[in-house]
Amino acid sequence: MIDPVIASRLQFAVTTIVHIIFPVMSMGLAPFLIYFTWKEIRTGAQVYEQLRTFWTKIFAISFVVGTVTGIVLEFEFGTNFAAFATAAGELFGGPLALEGMMAFMLEATFLGIFVFGRDRVSDRHYMLSSVLVGLGTWLSAVWILVANSWMQTPRGYEVATESGQPIISLVDPIAAYANPRFPWMYVHMQNAAVLSVALFLTGVAAYFVWTNRDTEFWRTTMKVGLAVLLVTAPFQAIHGDAYGRHVADTQPQKFAAMEAQYETDSGVGLKLVAIPTSLSDITDPHADDLFVIEIPFVASLLASGNDPGATITGLSDIDAESPPVAIVFWAFRAMVGLGTWFILLAFWGGYRWYQGTLFDDDLLAKAFMGSSVLGIFTVELGWIVTEVGRQPWVIQGVMKTHAGVSSSLSGSEALATLVGFVGVYTALLALYWYVVVRLIRTEAPTRSPTPKRETNVPEEVVPSDD
């Protein structure tokens, strides 16, 4: 049977990968819904009422499915990672409880008003409900990322032993909850969510423009999405650059894995392209075994912030087990490559908008359509870098992942639940996608496409000389 440690990690990975889609949609949609509500109240324009009504449905569906899939994750701490829950429950349980009691209840309560109360409350109270729904959504991310960031850079704790088991006690809540990683993770995650939804909105709108079924609804959607994309795509790269330096300072083994830096060296170049020369190189990405195009000294510059000759500590010189380098290395490259594409796409769309040809460029429309879900995919890659790059630690420098797995869990039990979770979560994701696509096709305002010229019209009879 499969090792229960591996099965538990795979199960948690699968449930997290599926679950994160729904918070990304709800967190990313929240600012758009606040804007649409404000414009509707301020201008009285029907298009903003339509935008607010339609995208609220997508938000509500994402909230419901996200709630279902997220609760299961918390149960997995007890079923699959009981040793971790026992050791870190005092510190880890607080943020999760606050997320439920504070953020979730705030969001759930005012979502009822926001969805059903447009004709029952005043404009001021309705506007307030939209803001509080968005605030609740973003507060949920605060407490989840407080817990996760503490696992990356633990602070404010001490380790004791009770009945032969390590117990982590919270001694400084401010140091623990305001740990060094939290602001970096929170800003990066929230901007990524808004960026992902901006791509989704522009991609869906581009489809209706390209198929000649565009209306003011979809043209406005595309403009608003593009405007947000022009801000969030470059900012994500700028912030990610600074975030990378923080990772290099606090988790050198993760940074070394991101760059596949096995030996300590100075003036390290940034690998822009790294192509395996053989199949085995994919799982063992040494620089010497790859066809590499790199910018000299840039990796050292990124790690230090100002010194192109800075030294990067290699994995072989770090007194710890290395994370799975290939997974971190390739996920990071794909994430950065897609982020670069989003910037180019935003500037391309912005240029066409400036020219007044935003809705006339078929190639741009196809590019937006093809990129509509790539933002969410990039978020997944970012989390793979974050979580896999921390291995073998579940709490960096404190507890290793294998030590956090439930001691009573057998391989057969872990395998059975893994298979079950994969099936259920795949079905939930398929159902969610079906409902969203159906809503877009049936309830979004569109006009019928312009009829094409008939091809079976009889030729005109030319009069004879007679």
Side-chain angles (χ1 to χ4, degrees):
M1 284 296 176
I2 191 171
D3 184 351
V5 175
I6 295 176
S8 296
R9 289 178 60 184
L10 286 174
Q11 180 178 313
F12 201 87
V14 168
T15 51
T16 303
I17 284 172
V18 175
H19 167 70
I20 195 63
I21 295 171
F22 313 116
V24 166
M25 288 296 292
S26 57
M27 292 186 302
L29 273 172
F32 289 95
L33 293 179
I34 294 172
Y35 173 74
F36 293 151
T37 303
W38 174 71
K39 289 290 287 185
E40 176 193 353
I41 293 173
R42 185 174 178 226
T43 67
Q46 183 183 19
V47 64
Y48 291 107
E49 179 186 0
Q50 293 174 332
L51 286 165
R52 187 261 308 161
T53 302
F54 175 75
W55 291 111
T56 296
K57 296 175 183 177
I58 306 295
F59 178 93
I61 294 169
S62 302
F63 171 78
V64 170
V65 182
T67 300
V68 172
T69 56
I71 289 175
V72 174
L73 283 171
E74 298 187 11
F75 280 108
E76 285 184 289
F77 289 123
T79 57
N80 293 76
F81 295 93
F84 165 76
T86 300
E90 181 178 329
L91 197 145
F92 206 73
L96 295 184
L98 285 170
E99 190 271 336
M101 293 186 295
M102 177 193 295
F104 176 79
M105 292 305 297
L106 177 67
E107 181 183 4
T109 300
F110 285 94
L111 182 60
I113 298 174
F114 189 63
V115 173
F116 302 109
R118 182 66 185 98
D119 299 325
R120 294 176 172 84
V121 298
S122 65
D123 287 349
R124 179 177 298 180
H125 286 96
Y126 192 74
M127 184 70 221
L128 178 63
S129 72
S130 71
V131 173
L132 291 176
V133 167
L135 178 63
T137 302
W138 280 46
L139 277 176
S140 289
V142 168
W143 295 113
I144 297 300
L145 293 180
V146 159
N148 188 277
S149 62
W150 180 82
M151 295 164 68
Q152 310 283 338
T153 54
R155 300 289 189 276
Y157 71 96
E158 63 181 20
V159 179
T161 302
E162 293 183 6
S163 302
Q165 292 187 338
I167 300 296
I168 300 171
S169 299
L170 178 64
V171 296
D172 188 345
I174 295 178
Y177 293 168
N179 64 80
R181 179 59 55 84
F182 170 71
W184 294 104
M185 291 188 76
Y186 187 76
V187 173
H188 209 63
M189 180 63 203
Q190 300 309 97
N191 189 74
V194 177
L195 167 60
S196 298
V197 170
L199 282 166
F200 184 72
L201 264 62
T202 53
V204 175
Y207 169 76
F208 286 97
V209 171
W210 180 65
T211 56
N212 198 27
R213 289 183 287 169
D214 57 303
T215 60
E216 185 184 3
F217 176 93
W218 288 118
R219 287 176 177 247
T220 304
T221 299
M222 192 169 181
K223 287 181 178 179
V224 172
L226 177 56
V228 173
L229 189 62
L230 281 165
V231 176
T232 55
F235 177 75
Q236 192 74 350
I238 295 170
H239 184 266
D241 170 60
Y243 188 2
R245 288 194 289 275
H246 170 73
V247 171
D249 292 337
T250 56
Q251 291 178 301
Q253 85 283 2
K254 181 185 292 187
F255 188 85
M258 288 159 54
E259 296 298 329
Q261 191 67 30
Y262 289 86
E263 305 298 331
T264 300
D265 199 0
S266 301
V268 179
L270 178 68
K271 302 176 182 69
L272 292 179
V273 177
I275 302 174
T277 56
S278 68
L279 187 61
S280 63
D281 295 339
I282 296 177
T283 57
D284 187 20
H286 283 75
D288 295 339
D289 298 330
L290 301 173
F291 171 74
V292 175
I293 299 176
E294 66 178 27
I295 305 177
F297 307 109
V298 173
S300 291
L301 184 64
L302 292 176
S304 64
N306 54 16
D307 182 9
T311 299
I312 295 180
T313 304
L315 290 166
S316 59
D317 293 325
I318 295 174
D319 187 19
E321 296 179 49
S322 298
V325 177
I327 297 174
V328 180
F329 178 79
W330 295 116
F332 181 70
R333 252 122 212 93
M335 179 186 69
V336 172
L338 286 171
T340 304
W341 164 244
F342 299 154
I343 295 173
L344 296 174
L345 184 61
F347 288 163
W348 181 9
Y351 177 69
R352 289 301 191 191
W353 192 356
Y354 173 77
Q355 285 186 318
T357 58
L358 177 61
F359 306 114
D360 302 323
D361 190 333
D362 285 349
L363 185 60
L364 175 63
K366 293 176 182 178
F368 275 130
M369 286 187 286
S371 304
S372 58
V373 296
L374 288 183
I376 296 174
F377 179 67
T378 307
V379 171
E380 304 277 17
L381 292 172
W383 275 107
I384 289 173
V385 173
T386 298
E387 298 305 298
V388 178
R390 186 181 69 233
Q391 298 304 316
W393 302 99
V394 64
I395 305 173
Q396 183 71 46
V398 179
M399 174 181 280
K400 290 189 175 180
T401 304
H402 68 81
V405 174
S406 304
S407 59
S408 61
L409 186 65
S410 67
S412 58
E413 291 171 336
L415 179 60
T417 57
L418 170 62
V419 173
F421 272 76
V422 169
V424 171
Y425 271 62
T426 300
L428 276 174
L429 182 58
L431 179 61
Y432 172 80
W433 182 249
Y434 169 78
V435 172
V436 169
V437 171
R438 184 175 177 85
L439 278 174
I440 292 172
R441 287 179 173 177
T442 60
E443 299 199 22
T446 60
R447 63 181 173 88
S448 300
T450 302
K452 294 182 180 181
R453 184 178 178 181
E454 295 288 346
T455 57
N456 296 324
V457 177
E459 293 182 359
E460 181 182 3
V461 177
V462 180
S464 65
D465 292 340
D466 296 334

